[in-house]
């Protein structure tokens, strides 16, 4: 009897919107076996047969510990795309980790970030925050040092209610600047970050994911804007900033997530979906040359973009490239490989970085190493 030595990745919600995209990408990449999980045996097996290469299926109910334990058996990693993590208050993550299996959750369950055991747990904290934390890592890859990051993200498309939960939980951890005090990014003048002219609302925030990377990269400044084409989503976020239901109030947060999902559906009705990101990073090469690196990401497949993020995270975790403990997804995405996966697996998508020398006086070359020491927090009170 031949035993397939490849590690198994079990996907909860494996035939759903995000789960199916992630499964197809992982199947295309190879190197692992897949177990498609869901409540419908017929649907799960039909999709598993489409994936080929020995993919299997299993009926699983995430609300039933015994069912979940049976599904997890034999897996190296469980990728949770079921959307039930927050509603179950972390029970899915706890069950998977207790079984000695890595966990990747595409819904932030709102639970503890305290490490538990030798396995890895990675949580998706919303698309804006995840991109805000990954892009500076991508641009800083290979630089001797970096000093300043500025970027924006904008999108249009229906947001699934369980994805909206992660978005709202992420905003609770972000520094949110009041709209009346935010002039928005300056027009492009060669030293600023250009923004779309069609924006209905521009919000300046500092996500926890960007704050963490700014600290690790020793940035002196970090700026992030969300460019929204409303009017429903911007108006809802303004209301949410005032009401701000407690994280422990699960019913209130789920109700807010459903409202955000409805507003996104209204805003995007009759319009093509898209996600756009642009960012710049000032830094110094190993040769001592001051440079500015720019990143552009564009995709018309919103669900596909989330699916790429899910699949490459599960891939990295399964191969032991993520340390034990609890992490946010932005900190675990491989800088260059993530851009490569986006381009290869999402047709009509762009993910590119460029570099230009920066030789203006008073720029990065004048920054001493002591000014870039660990512990220097990014300036959140200055405009981009």
């Amino acid at each position: 009897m031949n035993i397939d030595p490849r590690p198994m990745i079990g996907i909860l919600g494996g035939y759903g919107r995000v789960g199916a995209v992630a499964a197809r990408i992982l199947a295309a990449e190879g190197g692992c076996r897949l177990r498609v999980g869901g409540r419908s045996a017929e649907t799960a097996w039909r999709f598993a047969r489409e994936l080929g290469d020995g993919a299997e299926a299993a009926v699983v109910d995430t609300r039933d510990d015994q069912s979940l334990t049976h599904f997890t058996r034999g897996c190296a990693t469980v990728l949770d795309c079921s959307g039930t993590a927050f509603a179950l208050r972390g029970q899915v993550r706890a069950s998977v980790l207790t079984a000695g299996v890595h966990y990747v959750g595409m819904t932030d369950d709102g639970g503890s970030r305290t490490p538990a055991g030798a396995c890895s747990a990675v949580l998706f904290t919303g698309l804006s925050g995840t991109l805000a934390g990954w892009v500076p890592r991508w641009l800083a890859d290979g630089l001797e040092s970096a000093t300043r990051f500025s970027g924006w993200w904008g999108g249009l498309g229906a947001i699934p209610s369980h994805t909206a939960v992660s978005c709202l939980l992420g905003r609770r951890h972000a520094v949110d600047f009041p709209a009346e005090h935010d002039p928005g990014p300056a027009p492009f003048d060669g030293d600023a970050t250009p923004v779309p002219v069609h924006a209905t609302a521009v919000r300046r925030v500092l996500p926890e994911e960007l704050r963490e990377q700014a600290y690790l990269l020793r940035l002196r400044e970090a700026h992030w804007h969300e460019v929204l084409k409303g009017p429903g989503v911007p108006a809802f976020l303004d209301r949410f900033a005032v009401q701000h239901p407690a994280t422990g109030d699960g019913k209130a947060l789920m109700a807010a997530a459903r409202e955000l999902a409805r507003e996104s559906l209204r805003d995007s009705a009759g319009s093509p979906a898209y996600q756009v990101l642009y960012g710049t990073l000032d830094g110094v090469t190993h040769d001592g040359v001051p440079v500015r690196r720019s990143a552009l990401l564009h995709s018309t497949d919103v669900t596909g973009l989330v699916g790429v993020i899910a699949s490459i995270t599960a891939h990295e975790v399964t191969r032991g490239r993520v340390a034990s403990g609890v992490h946010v997804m932005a900190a675990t995405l491989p800088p260059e490989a993530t851009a490569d996966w986006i381009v290869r697996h999402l047709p009509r998508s762009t993910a590119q970085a460029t570099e230009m020398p920066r030789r203006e006086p008073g720029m990065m070359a004048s920054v001493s190493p002591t000014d870039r020491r660990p512990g220097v927090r990014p300036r959140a009170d200055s405009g981009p």
Side-chain angles (χ1 to χ4, degrees), residues 335-356:
E336 184 68 31
T338 300
D340 179 60
W341 279 43
I342 291 171
V343 173
R344 287 195 292 111
H345 294 292
L346 294 183
R348 300 180 300 279
S349 292
T350 298
Q352 62 185 29
T354 57
E355 179 180 295
M356 295 183 64

Side-chain angles (χ1 to χ4, degrees), residues 307-383:
V308 169
I309 292 172
S311 61
I312 196 168
T313 302
H315 179 273
E316 293 294 296
V317 168
T318 303
R319 276 150 184 75
R321 296 170 183 165
V322 177
S324 61
V326 183
H327 310 271
V328 297
M329 206 160 283
T332 64
L333 291 172
E336 184 68 31
T338 300
D340 179 60
W341 279 43
I342 291 171
V343 173
R344 287 195 292 111
H345 294 292
L346 294 183
R348 300 180 300 279
S349 292
T350 298
Q352 62 185 29
T354 57
E355 179 180 295
M356 295 183 64
R358 296 281 293 174
R359 302 190 181 281
E360 288 82 347
M363 289 291 294
M364 296 155 294
S366 66
V367 180
S368 68
T370 56
D371 287 335
R372 298 192 297 269
R373 64 187 183 279
V376 177
R377 295 291 182 179
R379 287 166 51 190
D381 57 347
S382 60

Side-chain angles (χ1 to χ4, degrees), residues 60-365:
V60 60
D61 183 353
T62 56
R63 300 174 186 273
D64 184 324
D65 281 342
Q66 186 174 356
S67 174
L68 188 56
T69 299
H70 179 73
F71 176 83
T72 302
R73 189 173 294 120
C75 291
T77 302
V78 166
L79 172 58
D80 184 1
C81 300
S82 65
T84 61
F86 180 78
L88 297 179
R89 309 303 294 158
Q91 294 177 20
V92 178
R93 189 202 334 170
S95 177
V96 170
L97 294 178
T98 299
V101 175
H102 301 302
Y103 176 82
V104 176
M106 294 312 293
T107 304
D108 189 346
D109 58 21
S112 171
R113 302 281 177 88
T114 303
C119 291
S120 305
V122 183
L123 305 177
F124 180 65
T125 52
L127 194 53
S128 175
T130 298
L131 295 176
W134 162 64
V135 170
R137 294 177 58 235
W138 177 26
L139 292 177
D141 195 23
L143 290 179
E144 175 67 24
S145 63
T147 56
R148 180 182 185 273
F149 171 77
S150 178
W152 60 264
W153 163 86
L156 186 66
I159 305 173
S161 58
H162 65 272
T163 302
V165 170
S166 296
C167 170
L168 297 181
L169 285 173
R171 294 193 78 85
R172 292 193 59 83
H173 293 286
V175 177
D176 198 347
F177 297 89
E180 60 268 22
H181 297 142
D182 181 21
F188 182 63
D189 60 4
D191 194 45
T193 304
V195 298
V197 296
H198 63 263
T200 299
V202 177
R203 297 288 187 269
R204 183 155 64 98
V205 297
L206 198 63
E208 66 164 332
E209 299 90 339
L210 179 53
R211 294 201 306 273
E212 177 181 348
Q213 293 308 316
Y215 177 73
L216 294 175
L217 295 173
R218 306 174 185 179
L219 298 180
R220 300 183 70 191
E221 295 184 37
H223 309 281
W224 187 250
H225 285 79
E226 294 177 346
V227 181
L228 306 171
K229 187 178 180 181
V233 170
F236 166 81
L237 292 176
D238 286 343
R239 295 194 300 272
F240 180 79
V242 175
Q243 299 166 355
H244 241 314
T247 304
D249 189 347
K251 290 184 178 179
L253 193 61
M254 290 298 291
R258 287 191 291 270
E259 183 181 351
L260 175 57
R262 287 193 295 269
E263 294 295 348
S264 71
L265 188 61
R266 294 190 188 101
D267 284 352
S268 60
S271 299
Y274 68 89
Q275 300 287 318
V276 182
L277 176 149
Y278 184 85
T280 61
L281 181 78
D282 293 337
V284 178
T285 69
H286 288 286
D287 297 328
V289 178
V291 295
R292 166 163 291 178
R293 289 181 172 178
S294 301
L296 173 65
L297 170 65
H298 179 271
S299 177
T300 58
D301 186 352
V302 179
T303 300
L305 182 57
V306 177
V308 169
I309 292 172
S311 61
I312 196 168
T313 302
H315 179 273
E316 293 294 296
V317 168
T318 303
R319 276 150 184 75
R321 296 170 183 165
V322 177
S324 61
V326 183
H327 310 271
V328 297
M329 206 160 283
T332 64
L333 291 172
E336 184 68 31
T338 300
D340 179 60
W341 279 43
I342 291 171
V343 173
R344 287 195 292 111
H345 294 292
L346 294 183
R348 300 180 300 279
S349 292
T350 298
Q352 62 185 29
T354 57
E355 179 180 295
M356 295 183 64
R358 296 281 293 174
R359 302 190 181 281
E360 288 82 347
M363 289 291 294
M364 296 155 294

